[in-house]
Amino acid sequence: MRVSGSKNAALPIIAASILNGGLTELHNVPNISDIKIMLQILEKLGCKIEHDSDKIVINSKDINSFEIPADLMHKMRSSVSIVGALIGRFKNCTFTYPGGCDIGKRPIDLHLKAFEKLGVNVRMKETNIRCIAEEMKPSEIILDFPSVGATENIMLASIFIDGVTIIKNAAKEPEIEDLQNMLNKMGANIKGAGSDMIEIIGVDHLEDVSYRVMPDRIEAGTLLCAVAANNGSIKLINAEPRHMEKTLDKLKECGCNISIEKDQILLKAPEKLSNVDIETEPYPGFPTDMQSIFVATLIQSDGISSMEENIFENRYKYVSELRKMGVNIIQEERKIKITGEKNIKATNLKAMDLRGGAALVIAALQAKGISEISNIEYILRGYDKLDEKLRKLGAKIKVEEGE
Ligand code: UD1
């Protein structure tokens, strides 16, 4: 089973195509609705785009608008990385608060504070935010929390600033390293992504670029979990096991037999999964995006497992749906306890966010009978042909027309 390109790497990389004022050719881009929204925003700004399967060519030469359309901005939080790219190239951007999955407060205060430190004038008027700068200046920015989006936005905004911009307490997620690699291939001079300190040494121009997006570690983890929860076995190819250490460790702790060979991961599930205790943390800790997916897998575990969500405060909405299936879950603020239950019942379920929706799919695969999941547009935001991939693994799943 081939893993698709990473959604969370591709989104800021697509925004980065604004910076070179020329051609960006991207490969291994997942075919999902979040990417389509990102491309629609770029088109509205004046970019020319060719999109063919997992290849996208963007020409950002003729950008003629610095205003991100509010309707598209509302659809997706990661549209906020376009702000950093427009500031980086034009020192000018108007936008509204971004939308996306409702999994917590998700403010953008860290992004805005950082832009101000770089010399950007940030003005808020009703629902609009206007960022404009005469001249930008390098700075040392210490993030209060290692925010992925803020780290990426500072990298994008500071590419052309004369001098050295430093980000301390930077997020260390592999997607940030992928963004650094793409920007450096364009001619930027960035060091340190993957560690908690990143240095951006200003350059005066960027070139055309061709770049291959890294594999999606969350999609890979989802497929492994789907198989682990259903006594199966799987061979993933085009994966990056180095990015998945905590997820793989926890699957091993559950009793899965895992072997790794370069970009391949082989998993064989045990008869019965063991219970585990997990807490989400910034990378290299256990990823918050795998939280719901792992909980749905632990339905098949022996005994009581626990999960603590430390990144987003509202990421347990799927729990009430699992309870409808007969799953015993107790929630105490950020921590839940789940008791293994072999026989859960099929029922009608509602996806309420992307990863919570994927968790419902994994739960429904375990239930005897037919479960119907509505609101699957959330799931389609982040998974490229999930139904087709699961069918290949033996699942009985179909997407109804009109969904
Ligand atoms: C990115 C990922 C998302 C993942 C998350 C954490 C993309 C497109 N999305 O989201 O899938 O779940 O990282 O790994 O890459 N925060 C603030 N102020 C800010 C920014 C963030 O308080 O200005 C808080 C958030 O509310 C949250 C925490 O910091 O509680 C982490 O957010 P952040 O790392 O910024 O996540 P995203 O970049 O939105």
Side-chain angles (χ1 to χ4, degrees), residues 181-229:
N181 292 343
M182 181 270 190
L183 288 166
N184 283 351
K185 205 169 173 206
M186 255 186 188
N189 190 355
I190 308 176
K191 295 176 195 160
S195 78
D196 62 359
M197 188 170 105
I198 301 177
E199 278 182 15
I200 303 110
I201 300 129
V203 294
D204 56 15
H205 78 289
L206 295 172
E207 307 282 345
D208 293 348
V209 69
S210 171
Y211 191 77
R212 186 178 173 80
V213 174
M214 64 177 246
D216 196 310
R217 63 193 168 104
I218 307 301
E219 189 208 33
T222 305
L223 293 169
L224 293 176
C225 280
V227 168

Side-chain angles (χ1 to χ4, degrees), residues 329-347:
I329 301 186
I330 298 166
Q331 183 182 349
E332 276 170 21
E333 293 177 6
R334 284 175 177 268
K335 197 162 180 173
I336 59 174
K337 286 199 169 142
I338 166 164
T339 309
E341 169 64 63
K342 196 96 189 144
N343 299 309
I344 57 168
K345 54 177 188 285
T347 185

Side-chain angles (χ1 to χ4, degrees), residues 6-9 11-12 34 76-81 103-113 143-152 171 173 175 217-218 281-283 286-290 309-313 315 334 354-355:
S6 161
K7 164 177 106 62
N8 286 354
L11 289 167
D34 267 12
M76 191 179 63
R77 182 178 165 82
S78 42
S79 50
V80 77
S81 52
I103 55 175
K105 286 201 286 289
R106 308 190 87 177
I108 53 166
D109 54 318
L110 301 175
H111 304 235
L112 300 180
K113 248 166 57 185
L143 290 175
D144 296 336
F145 181 87
S147 153
V148 174
T151 302
E152 291 167 346
E173 269 68 1
E175 291 76 12
R217 63 193 168 104
I218 307 301
E281 287 168 316
Y283 190 85
F286 186 88
T288 171
D289 285 350
M290 285 299 301
E309 171 58 58
N310 294 314
I311 309 294
F312 291 106
E313 65 282 7
R315 227 176 176 178
R334 284 175 177 268
L354 163 57
R355 306 300 171 187

Side-chain angles (χ1 to χ4, degrees), residues 20-49:
N20 66 357
L23 288 175
T24 298
E25 184 180 294
L26 298 175
H27 297 268
N28 204 32
V29 181
N31 211 342
I32 52 176
S33 59
D34 267 12
I35 296 289
K36 288 181 191 136
I37 295 170
M38 200 72 174
L39 295 177
Q40 276 172 29
I41 298 177
L42 290 198
E43 267 178 343
K44 292 265 181 200
L45 299 177
C47 292
K48 306 267 179 313
I49 292 168

Side-chain angles (χ1 to χ4, degrees), residues 343-362:
N343 299 309
I344 57 168
K345 54 177 188 285
T347 185
N348 291 346
L349 302 161
K350 191 169 166 189
M352 288 182 245
D353 58 62
L354 163 57
R355 306 300 171 187
L360 298 184
V361 172
I362 292 182

